[in-house]
Amino acid sequence: MHALPRIETREQATAQKFTPLEHENRPAVDTAAAAFYLNRRPQTLRGWACMENGPIRPIRVNGRLAWKVADIKAVLGVGSGTA
């Protein structure tokens, strides 16, 4: 008999793609990563950018949205690791 493929939960599948926030060393991340860290859907963050009504504001890099890691950490109350 053939073994059935292992089914991963959504959290398991997405968590493997992103660096833990406390280890993130880039100054800004893309919308998918920011949505993962903030536990929101990417479209929610795009709405925040469009309506300018979210808890954080993105920057634009070559026409694309980028979200500052420091802002994400501030919203979540996570230390920035700098002393």
Side-chain angles (χ1 to χ4, degrees), residues 27-51:
V29 294
D30 64 1
T31 300
F36 173 77
Y37 295 136
L38 294 167
N39 196 26
R40 297 287 180 262
R41 294 184 182 255
Q43 193 60 34
T44 299
L45 274 69
R46 291 185 196 105
W48 291 349
C50 187
M51 303 298 249

Side-chain angles (χ1 to χ4, degrees), residues 28 58-66:
I59 56 174
R60 290 198 178 263
V61 178
N62 292 329
R64 294 184 178 262
L65 297 175

Side-chain angles (χ1 to χ4, degrees), residues 1-65:
M1 296 195 98
H2 296 287
L4 293 174
R6 184 169 168 238
I7 299 174
E8 296 180 345
T9 65
R10 179 175 178 245
E11 291 81 17
Q12 290 171 333
T14 56
Q16 296 171 357
K17 298 178 186 176
F18 301 108
T19 304
L21 186 57
E22 58 272 7
H23 296 128
E24 186 61 67
N25 59 5
R26 295 178 289 177
V29 294
D30 64 1
T31 300
F36 173 77
Y37 295 136
L38 294 167
N39 196 26
R40 297 287 180 262
R41 294 184 182 255
Q43 193 60 34
T44 299
L45 274 69
R46 291 185 196 105
W48 291 349
C50 187
M51 303 298 249
E52 296 183 350
N53 66 350
I56 59 176
R57 300 267 171 91
I59 56 174
R60 290 198 178 263
V61 178
N62 292 329
R64 294 184 178 262
L65 297 175

